[in-house]
């Protein structure tokens, strides 16, 4: 690397490399791209299986306890959706674009569930699920920082706007 490439001064090349390739050069990123894809292919079935177990438990609890009952339809529908995604991730040979779509679909499903819990099921309580899920997604899968950032920003902005319409005034500002 030349001195300019290692500089901490922001320049367009450094910004582009940080946003698109996590600080690497495009060539370095392309060398490990297949490893990233293989790692994400291994993680997606596991992540969907873990979510399915949790959603299955919540679905069963919603049938037998009053505390989980308000989210019953949500837990059951998310379980079915996650089951379909699990089957797809295990039975199909996911190429890079479709794999990325499935990863973001999985994460979107979880975030949408967190939003429904926050705005429909318990609008008078502090939001926990959405906030936890927005933070855990980047820990589960590897993707270009710019795509992850735009995704998080879009869902966060959506959450903030919806919070002003649907959250109880007593918890809205704390959630935002």
């Amino acid at each position: 690397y030349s001195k300019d490439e290692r500089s901490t001064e922001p320049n367009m090349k450094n910004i582009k490399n940080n946003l698109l390739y996590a600080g690497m050069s495009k060539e370095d990123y392309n060398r490990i791209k297949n490893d990233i894809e293989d790692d994400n292919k291994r993680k997606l079935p596991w992540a969907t299986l873990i979510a399915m177990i949790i959603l299955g438990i919540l679905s069963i609890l919603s049938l037998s306890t009053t505390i989980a009952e308000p989210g019953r339809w949500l837990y059951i529908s998310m379980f079915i959706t996650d089951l379909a995604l699990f089957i797809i991730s295990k039975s199909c040979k996911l190429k890079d674009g479709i794999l990325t779509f499935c990863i973001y679909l999985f994460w979107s499903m979880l975030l949408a569930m967190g939003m429904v819990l926050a705005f429909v099921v318990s609008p008078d309580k502090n939001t926990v699920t959405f906030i936890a899920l927005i933070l855990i997604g980047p820990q589960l899968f590897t993707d270009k920082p710019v795509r992850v950032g735009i995704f998080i920003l879009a869902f966060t902005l959506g959450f903030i706007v919806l919070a002003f319409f649907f959250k109880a005034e007593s918890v809205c500002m704390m959630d935002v």
Side-chain angles (χ1 to χ4, degrees):
Y1 291 109
S2 70
K3 185 178 188 316
D4 290 338
E5 289 177 2
R6 288 180 281 147
S7 172
T8 58
E9 294 293 318
N11 63 43
M12 288 308 291
K13 187 173 183 174
N14 284 341
I15 292 170
K16 179 183 173 188
N17 284 347
N18 283 329
L19 289 175
L20 296 179
Y21 309 112
M24 294 181 267
S25 68
K26 183 177 182 177
E27 295 77 26
D28 288 339
Y29 179 82
N30 285 335
R31 271 194 290 268
I32 65 165
K33 186 178 178 189
N34 289 337
D35 293 335
I36 292 170
E37 187 178 321
D38 291 343
D39 189 50
N40 284 339
K41 279 181 191 174
R42 279 190 303 274
K43 288 179 181 176
L44 184 59
W46 283 106
T48 56
L49 179 63
I50 291 167
M52 236 182 353
I53 291 168
I54 293 168
L55 290 165
I57 291 168
L58 288 170
S59 296
I60 292 166
L61 287 174
S62 74
L63 297 171
S64 59
T65 65
T66 56
I67 195 165
E69 191 271 329
R72 178 183 304 156
W73 62 270
L74 179 64
Y75 303 137
I76 293 170
S77 63
M78 288 294 107
F79 176 84
I80 293 167
T81 305
D82 193 51
L83 175 62
L85 196 53
F86 173 76
I87 291 168
I88 290 168
S89 70
K90 287 297 284 181
S91 61
C92 298
K93 293 197 184 285
L94 300 177
K95 299 289 183 202
D96 187 37
I98 296 171
L99 174 66
T100 301
F101 174 78
C102 288
I103 287 168
Y104 281 98
L105 178 63
F106 172 69
W107 196 10
S108 296
M109 177 196 82
L110 295 177
L111 291 174
M113 182 187 75
M115 292 173 93
V116 171
L117 287 172
F119 302 133
V120 177
V121 176
S122 56
D124 57 334
K125 294 187 172 94
N126 286 105
T127 301
V128 176
T129 305
F130 176 81
I131 295 166
L133 292 170
I134 201 106
L135 294 173
I136 200 166
Q139 307 301 315
L140 293 174
F141 304 104
T142 305
D143 196 18
K144 292 180 179 179
V146 69
R147 205 164 21 210
V148 172
I150 290 170
F151 182 82
I152 290 172
L153 181 63
F155 265 93
T156 301
L157 289 175
F159 177 87
I160 290 169
V161 169
L162 291 172
F164 285 111
F165 288 104
F166 296 106
K167 288 300 279 186
E169 196 174 319
S170 61
V171 293
C172 181
M173 290 311 294
M174 179 62 83
D175 280 359
V176 170

